[in-house]
Amino acid sequence: MKNTLKKSVKRILSVVAAAALLFLLLDLVFPVDTGIDFSGTLTDRDNNVIAATLNSSDKWRFRAELEELSPKLTDVTIFKEDRYFYYHPGINIFSLARAFFSNLFFGERTLGASTITMQTVRMLKPKERSYLNKFIEMFRALQLELHYSKDEILEMYFNLLPYGGNIEGAKTASILYLGINPAGMSLSQAAALSVIPQNPNKYRIGRYNSAIEKKKNLILNTLAGSSVFPQKEISGALAEPFHSSRKEIPNYAPHLLNRLAGEYPLKNAIHSKIDSRIQIEASSIIKNYIDNQKLNGIYNAAAIVIDNKTLDVLAYVGSNNFYDSRHSGQVDGIRAVRSPGSALKPLVYAMGFDDGMITPRRVILDVPINSSEYSPDNYSGSFRGEVTVEQSLIHSLNVPAVRVAMDIGCDNFIDRLCKAGFKTVEKKKKGLGLSVVLGGCGVTLEELAGMYSGFGNKGKIRNLRYTGDKKYDTNTVAVCSPEAAYMISDILMKSARPDVLYGYLSGKDMPIIAWKTGTSYGRRDAWSIGYNPRYTVGVWAGNFSGAASSELTGAKTATPLMFEIFRILGSAGNDKFIKPDGLYTRQVDQETGLLPGEYTTHTVDDLYIPLVSSSEISNNYSKIFVSMDETVSYCSDCLPEGNYKEKVYKRIPPDLASYYEKYSLNYEKIPAHNQECPRIFSGKPPVISYPVAGQEYLLQKSGDSRIMLQCFTANDVQDVYWYINDKFYTKARNDEKIFFRPNNKGKIKISCSDDMGRNSDIEINVSFY
């Protein structure tokens, strides 16, 4: 008896071992495929879907982790579909036996008894319903249970459930039918959603809601006899009516979805830092605004909103209409390379502050630059003579910005742009020059906004954060000192604001904003970037085609948009700029911005960086000995014994004097020096403004073409003397234009001496044709 029992046990164990070995072998040869084709989804900072794309089978299937699903949905579904899900190995033997005997004794063709695991297998690889396929299904179910946990299988199950049409997955159904994330559904909604996969055509949302509600209540009444939910909660769910219809696919940030899908090709669900409220409102503002601008030939705009504390991107509007194919709406305006116009000027001045060359109240020249490298004009076509740094930045004057760039070094400025993350500038840096200061380069809205967020963050910038991925947590880069950043912000806050002019905001709620505009050459791009310590808002407007518009300017087109978007950020954006401990205030001469000198009459407050900012003393006036009729000036070497007096004159730089002369502007000149004076002066020599040193001039061989000679001098000079190849050519007034015709081609030396004996030389090349 015992031997027989032992043999039976051995046979059973042998059969089990053989079956197990066979199963493992088959599992190795025929591995289970659990690949699920998901839609691409982009979620905001609160995990709401804000953009999505169809999967490769043109279905909407949003991936959901089990933690995202409401426990009510999982509990209802498990109770209804497979109460012993967590206890069986993928196959419920008792349910299978019941189905088998039902088929055998009652003649019912029932293939039921499918567990959730078996249903998951069937949805992964749909097959025709038959007994053979049922056995394959059971084998695959055992495989799933071998390789995956129960929660992983349940997650697959909810991601595969069909809900009618091309909608699959519980998260998709919750968003498109209920309009909510699956974590927030009620018991009534959970019961309703559990009905649909049984027969998606019979229980179609919107058309057969009454049938869904009837079935839902039947499930809830069945649940009332269990302990899964409290009776009170079930009663409330029974009383809750079911009203639902298919919603539109969320599509608030299509450009960002396209961008991040390219950066994360293996991710179907990307969690961003976008704030949906700000994103939706900013998109609406831009769309409505550009709809009104189309009459002016302006069809596109883009905007980005940055949290300066975290560098999170809160809004990303790549265009005003993603689906406007006629005007290239799918182009991402945040990454499009465009000309920045004047938007880079603040960095020039910030570098000047850090180099100690300038302070906000320092007076600089706004007169034409005579240079072989670059001679810009102001946007207005006019010049102001002398302006403070503060005035030149507020009014976005071109010439003073270029002068500062020349002082700090054009290469240094370009290198700083590269350091700040301007990729196109870095690629083309070898071919760039001073025109970069005024927009002669390519930048993106993302790069510009990143730079300005640095001004709002004490001069420090980091990569902008679109997701929580660690790749965005890079080292901090300082584009300027905290002191320079504060001075730039203090100046840019003083620009006249359109939200004040048009009453968009009350004084109480008005956020503090430093802001700067830019308009590219030919009016093809309009920029406006505003920032404070909390937020940065960058706006670009124009046409992706590059078409110009006479109405397109940063101040007129982009700025109203920028301020409207800033308005929706609310009072949270009212942070104030805090003056750094290393920044002080001092009194300076109002006329020069330098420390008060002997002839200073009025002073003003000016910010400065100790041990960095220049400590030069103002010396823009000097005492001159002149004749009683003020027609002749003297020095100590030629001062007569009497018949003279002392008078204070303002020192006028030669290029400013040249500007005054060119435009016939009155200024007080120092009288011509005594011609009988034996002393040769060592002051500044004449500056030859034309021809330009080093350039080549092409003249007609048989014609009468000539080259103009022109210079500008100190304001104590009356006459100048011109020499060609060291031979005297002619005498002329200091402001007189004269002409000469070269006799030979090749290098020509041109010299100019003033009536004080000071001299300048240049060389040019001449060719004939």
Side-chain angles (χ1 to χ4, degrees), residues 241-253:
F242 181 74
H243 301 296
S244 184
S245 59
R246 178 164 176 168
K247 313 295 189 297
E248 291 291 329
I249 300 293
N251 198 29
Y252 308 130

Side-chain angles (χ1 to χ4, degrees), residues 45 252-253 256 273-283 303-307 312-318 334 466 536-538 565 568-569:
R45 63 198 305 111
Y252 308 130
L256 183 58
K273 297 293 185 178
I274 293 291
D275 183 309
S276 283
R277 180 191 67 82
I278 298 173
Q279 177 74 21
I280 293 170
E281 291 190 40
S283 299
I304 189 171
V305 178
I306 302 166
D307 184 328
D312 289 349
V313 173
L314 305 179
Y316 190 104
V317 186
I334 291 172
Y466 295 99
T536 295
V537 176
I565 293 172
I568 66 176
L569 300 178

